[in-house]
Amino acid sequence: MSDELIGRLRGAVAGPVLARGDDGFAEELAGFNLAVTHSPDVVVGLTSEDDAVAVVRAAAETGTPVRVLATVHGVPNPIQDGIVVTTSRLKGVTVDPQTRIAQINAGSVWADVISAAAPHGLAPIAGASEVVGCIGYTLGGGLGPLARTYGFSSDWARGFRVVTAAGEVVTANADEHADLFWALRGGKGGFGIVTSMDFELVELSTLYGGSVFFDAEHIAPVLNTWTEWTRTLPENANSSVVILRLPPLDFIPEPLRGKTVLNVRFAYVGDVAEGKQLFQPIRDAGTTLIDALGEMPASDIPLIHNDPKDPTPSWDRGMMLDAIDADFIAAFLEAAGPEQQLPLIAVEVRHLGGATARDVPEGSAVGGRGGAGTMTLIGVPDPSLFEKVLPATVDGLIAKLSPWISQQTTVNFAGGFALPGSYEASWPADTFARLAEVRADYDPDTLFPFGPRQENSGS
């Protein structure tokens, strides 16, 4: 990259412009996954939409690729060239309680929206983790703890502000740039820099939710009960299970420390007594080590999954399931049950269906609506295992479960398209083709690289 372009950016942008080797360069690019190190030619910290416009116009004139980082949860591939813009300074959430619309700026995380919505008795259909960036997550669809009841998170997006490759700011919603709006609800990246999103909130102040933990000896009976139980759950009941192999560390609750346990999560949108009665078969299936299930404020929904909040090295692989039945659970236990010695800290299965299977009336680009569930495999956070040990372990496990693994996935589970075919499998064929057309219309020169071998930004 030329010194002239860097100088132009420094003259046009209010935020920091840092070239490779400058003080603060690595810190500006640091993300949630400490195993990934980005080293583009220059990183620009956006402080406004005007900054984004200036970057895009300068990049377009020189043919320099632009990629976007927010919280960097969804960027597993190192970026090694071009311009990276960071949006962490573009925080801010404004809630209109009359319309139930939250205007969410690009640097906001779900915790920001949850805290802004709660005083009005409202809640966002958010992800499992409150520290995930709202925009990148929603662009990929998003399957949170209430997905069966309310659908994909992107179903609740009502509009986006986007800086396109032409250096223009456009509003994409059901009435303006409807093709771009369709693509941004599930199509993920390659369309421009999204600077803000209008997101509809739901009226929800409390629910019956939380999780329970079972020791290793109860994992098989509880999983078998859970599988049969999910077959008749109403749409306002959401659940997932995860086998955890926990180290003997002080920060882990004593009843779980150093054990292999099963965590069953539950969220029931409705009467507390009904939710308690509905969950009772799971409680009856084994003796709990910890029972943290009860009435909770909607602002505590992130506690259901209790995902880590601090950056750490991480490795995971996600996929969708065509079915969750007794044969699957038998194979699942044989491959990943408590008797197996695996370098995986978590093997999770989420029950889908319900509202996730229905598209919004105007249509969206979300992939994976036909999935019966998802499966996510999370490796021990030791980077020395990331290149060979964890891929080999997971490949072997997937081979044993292949009859139930869907050929199609959803893009937020595609892991940066590292596996051959994962890019194409993230959407139905007709959706994939239409997304290519929309990208070509709004970014004909591929200013915003997206897809395999393009070190995608996820935004």
Side-chain angles (χ1 to χ4, degrees):
M1 178 176 291
S2 69
D3 291 339
E4 181 180 351
L5 176 56
I6 294 174
R8 175 177 171 177
L9 290 170
R10 285 174 173 157
V13 174
V17 177
L18 303 171
R20 191 184 292 126
D22 287 348
D23 290 343
F25 178 84
E27 290 77 11
E28 185 70 22
L29 291 160
F32 194 83
N33 186 353
L34 299 181
V36 177
T37 301
H38 301 294
S39 184
D41 296 309
V42 64
V43 57
V44 180
L46 302 182
T47 63
S48 67
E49 194 170 75
D50 288 342
D51 279 356
V53 170
V55 170
V56 169
R57 290 179 177 174
E61 289 182 14
T62 57
T64 306
V66 178
R67 300 172 178 89
V68 185
L69 300 182
T71 62
V72 207
H73 274 74
V75 189
N77 304 322
I79 298 170
Q80 304 294 339
D81 66 349
I83 300 170
V84 164
V85 297
T86 58
T87 64
S88 58
R89 294 171 182 81
L90 297 179
K91 287 186 175 295
V93 177
T94 303
V95 173
D96 183 337
Q98 301 302 315
T99 62
R100 293 192 285 112
I101 296 295
Q103 184 183 65
I104 305 170
N105 290 339
S108 302
V109 298
W110 284 118
D112 303 325
V113 186
I114 291 168
S115 61
H120 306 288
L122 302 173
I125 304 308
S129 170
E130 63 182 356
V131 297
V132 166
C134 302
I135 301 295
Y137 168 88
T138 303
L139 293 179
L143 289 167
L146 303 182
R148 277 178 47 80
T149 306
Y150 294 106
F152 283 81
S153 296
S154 59
D155 296 344
W156 295 86
R158 298 293 175 256
F160 300 89
R161 293 267 295 183
V162 188
V163 180
T164 69
E168 299 173 347
V169 179
V170 303
T171 296
N173 56 34
D175 300 315
E176 305 174 73
H177 297 278
D179 55 342
L180 182 58
F181 181 53
W182 170 87
L184 291 171
R185 291 205 286 181
K188 196 67 171 177
F191 305 103
I193 300 176
V194 176
T195 58
S196 69
M197 169 177 67
D198 289 342
F199 195 86
E200 184 177 348
L201 307 171
V202 300
E203 294 182 357
L204 184 65
S205 55
T206 63
L207 70 156
Y208 184 76
S211 67
V212 297
F213 293 84
F214 297 90
D215 210 340
E217 64 187 287
H218 299 291
I219 289 178
V222 173
L223 274 179
N224 282 302
T225 300
W226 178 82
T227 304
E228 185 65 22
W229 176 73
T230 57
R231 292 178 58 191
T232 58
L233 283 184
E235 287 190 7
N236 57 337
N238 304 263
S239 71
S240 63
V241 291
V242 55
I243 295 178
L244 299 168
R245 289 171 168 82
L246 300 170
L249 300 177
D250 290 344
F251 70 87
I252 295 171
E254 194 278 331
L256 311 179
R257 201 172 296 158
K259 293 184 176 181
T260 296
V261 299
L262 179 71
N263 181 206
V264 183
R265 295 93 157 241
F266 186 60
Y268 181 78
V269 181
D271 180 75
V272 170
E274 291 177 358
K276 183 177 181 180
Q277 182 179 9
L278 189 63
F279 191 76
Q280 193 60 41
I282 301 300
R283 282 195 170 102
D284 292 342
T287 302
T288 58
L289 292 168
I290 294 177
D291 189 329
L293 195 60
E295 186 175 12
M296 62 164 49
S299 57
D300 283 348
I301 289 173
L303 296 179
I304 295 173
H305 284 232
N306 201 27
D307 285 352
K309 296 182 180 181
D310 298 322
T312 184
S314 63
W315 187 99
D316 63 71
R317 191 180 297 178
M319 61 216 71
M320 302 203 85
L321 300 170
D322 286 328
I324 302 174
D325 54 23
D327 290 339
F328 167 76
I329 290 299
F332 178 80
L333 286 167
E334 184 177 345
E339 296 82 10
Q340 305 303 319
Q341 299 299 312
L342 300 173
L344 302 173
I345 59 171
V347 183
E348 177 200 69
V349 176
R350 299 188 192 185
H351 177 219
L352 297 183
T356 65
R358 298 188 296 271
D359 201 356
V360 291
E362 61 273 25
S364 71
V366 168
R369 287 196 185 272
T374 65
M375 183 169 67
T376 304
L377 313 170
I378 301 175
V380 170
D382 178 353
S384 69
L385 305 178
F386 290 5
E387 184 178 355
K388 294 182 179 180
V389 174
L390 289 175
T393 298
V394 168
D395 285 346
L397 194 152
I398 289 173
K400 296 175 182 177
L401 300 175
S402 60
W404 297 273
I405 295 174
S406 177
Q407 293 301 305
Q408 188 181 124
T409 185
T410 187
V411 65
N412 281 355
F413 281 76
F417 313 125
L419 297 178
S422 57
Y423 179 51
E424 295 82 357
S426 296
W427 300 274
D430 57 343
T431 301
F432 184 82
R434 184 178 173 190
L435 283 169
E437 293 174 359
V438 176
R439 288 191 183 96
D441 287 342
Y442 284 90
D443 185 17
D445 298 319
T446 317
L447 189 68
F448 304 105
F450 183 74
R453 298 176 302 279
Q454 294 188 0
E455 300 162 345
N456 72 83
S457 70
S459 300

